[in-house]
Amino acid sequence: MSIRTCSLSLLRRAAKHGFAALRCSRTLSTLRSDAHKPTLLAPPQRDIEQVLRVKKHSISSVIPAQAGTHNHRPISDCKNLTASGIWIPACAGMTLLILIIFLSFPLQAAEKEKAAAGIQNGILTAEVKKSGANLSIIFPFNRETPTAAFLRGAHLWLVFSEHAGLKIPDFAADEYFSGYDQLANQNFTIIRFALADSFRKDASAFSLDFDKSAWVLGVGKAVAPLGPKSPIAVKIQEGKIFLPALKTGEPLKINDPEQGDEIVIIPISTPSVGVNLERKFVDADIEETVQGIVLSNLSDSVRYNVTREGVEISGGRISGINNESKKEKVGPQSVLSFNYKLSGEFMPDRRALDEQIIRVPEKEKSAKRFDLAKLYFSNGFYPDALGALNLIRISDPDFAAAEAPRMLYGAVNYQMRHFTEALKTFEKLEAEDKDSRALPEIKLWRWAANLRLADDAKSADWQQEVAKDKEFLKLHEAYGKTKEDAVSGALPILQQYPGYIRNNFYLMAAREKISLGDYDMAENYLDSINKGGPDLIMQDSANFLHAVINEKRGNFTDAEIGWRKLSQIPEDRRNRVRAELYLTNLELSQGKITKPDAIKRLEPLTVIWRGDQVELELLNYLGQLYFAEKNYLKAFQTWKALVGSFANTSEAVAVAGRMQDNFVKLFDGGEAYNMPPLDALSLFFEFRELTPLGEKGDRIIRKLADHFIEADLLDSAATLLAHQIRYRASGDDKLDLAEKLIDVDLMNKKPGDALEVLDATEMEKMDEPRQQKRKYLRAETLRQMGRNDEALLLLKGDMSARAIEIKDKIFWISHDWKNLVDLLEPQFLLIKKQEPLDEKEAEKAIHLAFAYAFLGDTEKLKQLSKGYAKLIVDEKNQKFFAFLTKNRQRLDKENVEETGKLDDISSYLAEYNKENEPKPKPAEAAPPADASAPADSKAEEPAPAPAPAADAAKPAEKK
């Protein structure tokens, strides 16, 4: 209940209940009293919940801040109270005076104003105002709600630390915004305005400020340029980054739906306090904002802490920046500048160097730019350092050719993961000056770049990048044959490096020593890491290698304990995944788990860590487990993911070779045909590019086609044969495959496809047997298409067994009994048979009996029964034959039902006719699009393509 509402309630209660209503005046007087006197005497409990419903933010909007200084007696001074809690008229005069003052305000208007100035029923209603080309959007929060505002991608983000549904009734797309959306969150209001295309090119004119009881977003030409009025100073001190900011809200961690990365947003309630310059570190970025703080690209090792004084960022490769204390320079010194500073503060130092670059003569600018590059490098701004160095390389090549700038250039590229460029730089430095005092440091960085290049699977395409640089390749090959310990030779210099760089070098040296079998030296390097006070991620990496050394030495229990501990650390995903991988391999080799158990443990890891040698090892091992368990499809899919993600690595090349060998082993050796047909079908069509060229590949495809025919996967068999005809076969071999494809199409009840293949593969010169075979194929194709007259004309005068078989089907289906008798009678009545009839002969005998029965030729039926009744061995066929040949009247459509045997005849006819209808097929994997049917000449075989519907395999028209 607000103060004004309380006044109205008080008046009503006074009329009805007398002085009992004055309990509301206690609320009013207390609110105007000193804020440091919170203790109140409770009014009667009966009405307390109805009276004292005053929100804190409503008070501040109505009562002035100095209200506590008014010279009046607070209600707590009223002494005359009864035991029942009823207030005595001693305070009545003062209360009535307050009533008169507050009733002078228009109460209804006040209620409307309150409703429009905040969140009502969980909804925040924003107001849009336009003044010429300028736009203002007002978000009526009743207090300085912690807020963040910043540009990211194609959106302007606004984040308020108070949850509400958003409505902007007057919003319309304009030259600034094309729309907006609200991201779901239970604790924050997150709004993203999509920038219009015309505004996106210059989205620098907008502001955010707090005006009385609302945050106001201003956009337009009259608005000040992008940036906070009170920028936050980014302080780098004692190995940490500190962003001083008061009145910070709770941090919000959220995924950017546009860019897909995770960001941390820290809203601030003080208006126009933000970061005016984007800062990039190795393991974290601080983004530019108009209001609040935004962190992005945070590695797992980075920690942030929001306090009353601001935000502190530590860990990862942020630690160690500017945290090296001044040491007495004894022995060899590093050429690189990890602790370069003028005054000790980055921004003043940078401004001072910028001014010096402007003032000094042209011949001295390169030296000052080099100082600026060193400043950037020592503070972790590697892209900025590279920009300064590149400017020197362009404007002053002689200065850039000196040893120190070149070493800094190589180190900057290394820190930016440009390992190829770093390696080329240090290789050439070493080759050009063998007597340099910086040679140990040069060798150290050359060694590190070479190792990282070989280890970083994503950068393994460096061979393609430098393939034309013969000099570099020669130097690199020569270095690869040496086993020089670059780290031990540069230990005094390495001690001068920041901890995060020094420990990384120790870690790489330990890995290399393990690969060479020098476990003692590897442990020395790992112990050096522990002494250096590394961050948690670095410590986990050192512990992982300790476990590897234990396994190499046969201390399996210690190795298992070390890896198991690491596999249970959720924060360190990389070490968690590789520890679980190595632990699974160890337990499997010891027989503690089975291969299915190992697969079950490793499958979830594929989505936890991506993109480096750890994922490569995981996919390789998981694929081998799948293959050993005869889950061939998953094995090949896993290996394919490896080859696609880590192309050009030696591991990927080896896996690709293994895939082809196993593919040939499965399909040429016969193992694939023990798989379920659909599994074999899916495996072949998904990885058909592994089919070898030549005779072996042809043999695989023919075997597979026969396998699909036996499994009634006729569409897939036709696809394989069509692809073979079009791209691989020629001459008689092509004709043989074409005739096999025609048979498959006819079995599949696709006579149209069969006819197209016949026409497409027709040749002028074919031997007599092939011409006869193709004639019968064409006749059968025409018969299935219902073109009986053309089929009979093609077979005119031909009384071969194949021709009689086709004619028999034509006359039988068309109920042409007379021609059926003329065709079959000579085979049964003129030529006596003594041996039992085979299936086809029994079928023809029954057809002839049907014809005699429908023609009413009882004498011929008797002769047929006498000669062949005992030669039909199949019980079902005997039944039909006996029924048809017994003494009876002529069969026709009118009297056939009177025989009482209609079901027997109908079932036989239905069964026979069913053989001429398309059969239902099991679901098949769709064949690839390039597997179209044959053409006259061989074409170049295309690369595999995505699979369309199964009926896409159509023969090409004959040209």
Side-chain angles (χ1 to χ4, degrees):
M1 183 183 296
S2 69
I3 294 176
R4 297 175 183 176
T5 306
C6 187
S7 301
L8 182 60
S9 174
L10 181 60
L11 183 63
R12 292 171 178 171
R13 286 175 178 271
K16 185 175 181 180
H17 301 290
F19 288 108
L22 295 182
R23 69 188 63 181
C24 191
S25 70
R26 178 174 185 269
T27 302
L28 298 174
S29 181
T30 302
L31 292 176
R32 290 183 175 271
S33 66
D34 192 344
H36 297 287
K37 295 180 180 180
T39 304
L40 302 175
L41 295 177
Q45 188 65 31
R46 179 169 56 89
D47 298 306
I48 185 67
E49 292 183 357
Q50 300 177 14
V51 178
L52 295 181
R53 292 180 180 173
V54 181
K55 293 186 178 180
K56 181 179 179 182
H57 61 268
S58 298
I59 300 168
S60 63
S61 64
V62 176
I63 300 179
Q66 67 273 23
T69 63
H70 287 190
N71 188 15
H72 67 274
R73 183 171 58 181
I75 196 67
S76 58
D77 291 341
C78 296
K79 303 296 183 180
N80 301 321
L81 299 174
T82 65
S84 63
I86 302 299
W87 297 348
I88 306 303
C91 300
M94 177 181 62
T95 304
L96 290 177
L97 178 62
I98 296 173
L99 279 175
I100 294 172
I101 295 173
F102 277 87
L103 288 176
S104 62
F105 295 106
L107 296 178
Q108 294 182 354
E111 286 296 309
K112 292 182 179 179
E113 180 182 351
K114 161 77 171 57
I119 301 172
Q120 291 189 346
N121 298 323
I123 301 298
L124 175 69
T125 303
E127 180 183 0
V128 177
K129 292 184 178 181
K130 281 194 174 183
S131 176
N134 300 315
L135 172 70
S136 296
I137 303 179
I138 302 170
F139 301 89
F141 288 94
N142 289 333
R143 57 185 174 186
E144 291 182 359
T145 304
T147 304
F150 53 94
L151 282 173
R152 204 162 202 270
H155 289 84
L156 166 63
W157 289 60
L158 291 182
V159 178
F160 300 97
S161 294
E162 189 166 343
H163 173 69
L166 177 68
K167 285 186 178 180
I168 311 180
D170 299 326
F171 181 87
D174 53 22
E175 67 270 28
Y176 302 122
F177 302 128
S178 58
Y180 74 92
D181 63 343
Q182 181 176 0
L183 303 186
N185 191 281
Q186 295 181 351
N187 301 316
F188 294 80
T189 302
I190 308 169
I191 311 162
R192 297 191 316 147
F193 289 94
L195 303 180
D197 291 339
S198 58
F199 187 52
R200 191 182 305 176
K201 299 177 181 178
D202 186 24
S204 60
F206 81 89
S207 65
L208 184 71
D209 209 341
F210 191 81
D211 183 15
K212 295 181 181 179
S213 62
W215 285 97
V216 180
L217 171 67
V219 186
K221 297 179 179 178
V223 178
L226 175 66
K229 297 177 183 178
S230 303
I232 298 172
V234 180
K235 297 183 178 181
I236 305 173
Q237 54 190 13
E238 299 179 355
K240 300 176 181 179
I241 297 176
F242 184 71
L243 304 173
L246 302 177
K247 295 186 179 181
T248 55
E250 290 295 323
L252 166 65
K253 184 182 291 187
I254 189 172
N255 286 325
D256 186 339
E258 179 185 12
Q259 300 189 18
D261 60 339
E262 186 179 73
I263 59 177
V264 177
I265 304 171
I266 299 105
I268 297 175
S269 20
T270 305
S272 198
V273 174
V275 179
N276 66 340
L277 181 64
E278 182 183 26
R279 306 292 293 274
K280 289 184 176 292
F281 298 88
V282 177
D283 285 333
D285 291 343
I286 304 172
E287 300 195 2
E288 182 178 356
T289 65
V290 172
Q291 178 77 23
I293 299 171
V294 176
L295 308 178
S296 61
N297 295 326
L298 299 179
S299 72
D300 293 339
S301 60
V302 171
R303 304 290 183 266
Y304 62 90
N305 184 30
V306 181
T307 66
R308 291 183 176 181
E309 291 76 25
V311 180
E312 181 183 274
I313 307 171
S314 61
R317 282 170 281 186
I318 290 173
S319 64
I321 297 177
N322 279 349
N323 67 338
E324 297 296 312
S325 60
K326 294 184 178 180
K327 300 177 183 179
E328 183 180 357
K329 296 184 178 180
V330 179
Q333 297 298 311
S334 170
V335 175
L336 300 174
S337 300
F338 289 102
N339 197 25
Y340 181 86
K341 62 180 67 175
L342 297 179
S343 65
E345 292 291 335
F346 171 75
M347 288 303 295
D349 288 354
R350 194 192 74 169
R351 284 194 291 267
L353 287 173
D354 285 340
E355 293 174 359
Q356 291 176 24
I357 292 172
I358 295 173
R359 291 198 308 265
V360 299
E362 187 64 31
K363 62 180 181 179
E364 299 179 17
K365 288 186 184 297
S366 295
K368 293 301 180 182
R369 286 171 178 153
F370 184 53
D371 289 341
L372 181 61
K374 290 189 291 184
L375 179 68
Y376 282 134
F377 179 75
S378 64
N379 285 276
F381 297 111
Y382 304 121
D384 303 85
L386 184 60
L389 291 171
N390 283 332
L391 183 57
I392 297 173
R393 288 157 64 90
I394 295 172
S395 61
D396 194 347
D398 292 337
F399 186 96
E403 184 178 70
R406 290 172 67 187
M407 286 187 65
L408 185 60
Y409 177 78
V412 167
N413 277 287
Y414 178 92
Q415 293 298 97
M416 294 180 66
R417 303 182 65 85
H418 301 164
F419 300 127
T420 299
E421 188 64 24
L423 183 57
K424 289 172 65 175
T425 301
F426 290 113
E427 291 271 19
K428 292 180 180 179
L429 275 169
E430 181 182 2
E432 292 171 4
D433 192 355
K434 296 292 185 181
D435 299 324
S436 172
R437 295 178 59 184
L439 190 60
E441 191 169 18
I442 293 172
K443 288 183 176 181
L444 175 68
W445 285 88
R446 178 211 59 190
W447 162 83
N450 188 80
L451 197 62
R452 291 298 301 272
L453 193 60
D455 184 56
D456 190 346
K458 285 292 185 182
S459 299
D461 57 350
W462 68 275
Q463 298 180 23
Q464 296 180 1
E465 298 176 11
V466 300
K468 297 180 181 180
D469 193 338
K470 304 298 183 183
E471 180 184 0
F472 167 70
L473 290 177
K474 184 177 179 180
L475 290 170
H476 181 68
E477 182 180 359
Y479 169 70
K481 297 177 181 179
T482 66
K483 296 298 180 182
E484 180 183 1
D485 190 344
V487 177
S488 62
L491 282 178
I493 296 175
L494 193 56
Q495 295 301 320
Q496 304 168 33
Y497 285 10
Y500 72 97
I501 295 181
R502 181 176 62 247
N503 288 331
N504 265 301
F505 280 10
Y506 283 146
L507 198 66
M508 290 189 292
R511 287 177 46 208
E512 187 175 55
K513 291 301 181 183
I514 292 173
S515 67
L516 297 174
D518 191 350
Y519 305 132
D520 291 337
M521 184 59 74
E523 286 190 326
N524 288 337
Y525 286 134
L526 295 177
D527 291 340
S528 298
I529 293 177
N530 294 334
K531 293 176 184 177
D535 59 54
L536 296 178
I537 301 298
M538 186 65 68
Q539 184 67 64
D540 292 342
S541 299
N543 291 337
F544 172 82
L545 292 182
H546 274 300
V548 171
I549 293 173
N550 283 324
E551 186 204 25
K552 297 289 185 182
R553 287 174 166 169
N555 301 329
F556 300 120
T557 301
D558 292 340
E560 181 179 348
I561 292 173
W563 284 330
R564 194 174 301 282
K565 287 181 179 178
L566 290 172
S567 68
Q568 296 171 357
I569 300 176
E571 297 85 2
D572 188 354
R573 292 180 296 156
R574 185 176 189 271
N575 283 309
R576 169 189 167 193
V577 168
R578 62 175 179 167
E580 185 68 33
L581 172 61
Y582 278 59
L583 178 62
T584 301
N585 181 50
L586 176 62
E587 293 185 338
L588 183 61
S589 65
Q590 294 177 335
K592 294 182 179 180
I593 61 174
T594 63
K595 289 185 177 69
D597 294 332
I599 291 173
K600 187 176 181 180
R601 284 168 59 170
L602 295 180
E603 281 180 333
L605 304 183
T606 58
V607 298
I608 296 177
W609 187 260
R610 294 282 181 87
D612 65 2
Q613 192 77 13
V614 176
E615 184 191 11
L616 189 152
E617 293 178 6
L618 173 62
L619 294 178
N620 191 7
Y621 186 60
L622 188 57
Q624 294 178 36
L625 291 177
Y626 282 136
F627 195 87
E629 287 298 297
K630 297 187 177 181
N631 193 340
Y632 301 125
L633 183 58
K634 276 198 171 182
F636 278 84
Q637 288 172 339
T638 303
W639 287 332
K640 182 178 181 180
L642 185 155
V643 173
S645 298
F646 304 98
N648 301 318
T649 62
S650 58
E651 292 89 345
V653 173
V655 169
R658 187 194 311 151
M659 289 176 67
Q660 185 163 46
D661 292 343
N662 287 329
F663 186 86
V664 172
K665 178 182 177 182
L666 289 174
F667 287 100
D668 194 32
E671 179 67 23
Y673 309 123
N674 297 327
M675 301 167 59
L678 287 177
D679 290 350
L681 174 69
S682 299
L683 178 61
F684 178 82
F685 278 118
E686 187 168 348
F687 298 98
R688 59 177 302 165
E689 67 273 9
L690 298 175
T691 307
L693 299 175
E695 182 181 351
K696 185 179 292 185
D698 295 340
R699 185 169 63 247
I700 288 174
I701 291 179
R702 295 186 187 190
K703 285 182 178 181
L704 197 59
D706 292 338
H707 179 66
F708 289 158
I709 292 172
E710 292 177 5
D712 204 27
L713 300 175
L714 300 178
D715 285 330
S716 300
T719 298
L720 286 176
L721 294 171
H723 182 275
Q724 193 78 352
I725 293 168
R726 177 178 287 276
Y727 299 114
R728 302 173 73 104
S730 61
D732 289 340
D733 185 45
K734 182 175 183 177
L735 292 176
D736 290 340
L737 290 173
E739 290 158 10
K740 190 169 188 175
L741 175 59
I742 295 167
D743 283 333
V744 171
D745 286 336
L746 293 176
M747 285 189 289
N748 205 21
K749 305 305 176 187
K750 292 184 177 181
D753 292 352
L755 186 61
E756 289 180 3
V757 176
L758 275 167
D759 293 338
T761 56
E762 199 68 45
M763 297 182 181
E764 294 182 1
K765 295 183 179 180
M766 289 185 289
D767 55 29
E768 183 62 26
R770 190 178 297 280
Q771 290 181 9
Q772 286 294 106
K773 184 177 181 179
R774 292 176 70 85
K775 180 181 77 171
Y776 297 139
L777 288 173
R778 185 176 292 274
E780 175 63 18
T781 300
L782 293 171
R783 184 196 72 77
Q784 286 196 19
M785 296 178 71
R787 296 160 63 176
N788 294 336
D789 293 341
E790 296 178 55
L792 292 173
L793 181 62
L794 188 63
L795 299 175
K796 184 177 181 180
D798 190 342
M799 295 302 293
S800 64
R802 180 66 176 132
I804 291 174
E805 180 182 348
I806 296 172
K807 293 178 183 179
D808 173 35
K809 292 179 180 179
I810 293 175
F811 296 146
W812 169 258
I813 295 299
S814 62
H815 297 173
D816 189 348
W817 309 121
K818 186 176 183 308
N819 281 323
L820 185 61
V821 168
D822 293 342
L823 177 69
L824 299 180
E825 189 175 70
Q827 296 188 49
F828 289 95
L829 297 185
L830 300 182
I831 302 176
K832 300 294 183 180
K833 296 182 181 292
Q834 302 298 327
E835 300 295 330
L837 303 181
D838 60 25
E839 185 176 352
K840 289 187 177 181
E841 289 174 332
E843 184 181 84
K844 291 177 183 177
I846 292 174
H847 288 181
L848 183 58
F850 261 107
Y852 285 147
F854 274 96
L855 292 174
D857 195 337
T858 57
E859 291 298 325
K860 295 289 180 64
L861 280 173
K862 290 179 182 179
Q863 294 180 34
L864 189 63
S865 176
K866 182 178 179 181
Y868 294 98
K870 296 181 179 180
L871 298 182
I872 298 177
V873 295
D874 180 74
E875 182 179 353
K876 186 176 181 180
N877 288 337
Q878 283 180 354
K879 181 179 179 181
F880 292 143
F881 190 77
F883 166 74
L884 293 169
T885 55
K886 74 177 183 178
N887 188 19
R888 57 159 48 257
Q889 296 178 351
R890 176 179 177 179
L891 285 177
D892 55 34
K893 293 182 179 180
E894 287 73 21
N895 64 15
V896 71
E897 298 181 3
E898 299 175 3
T899 65
K901 300 296 182 180
L902 179 62
D903 291 341
D904 294 336
I905 300 175
S906 298
S907 63
Y908 180 81
L909 290 172
E911 183 174 336
Y912 178 79
N913 290 334
K914 186 178 180 181
E915 296 179 359
N916 296 277
E917 298 175 356
K919 299 179 180 179
K921 300 291 188 301
E924 299 185 37
D930 66 337
S932 39
D936 284 334
S937 58
K938 293 175 67 177
E940 182 180 356
E941 186 170 2
D951 61 356
K954 300 290 184 182
E957 293 289 345
K958 183 180 178 182
K959 298 180 181 179

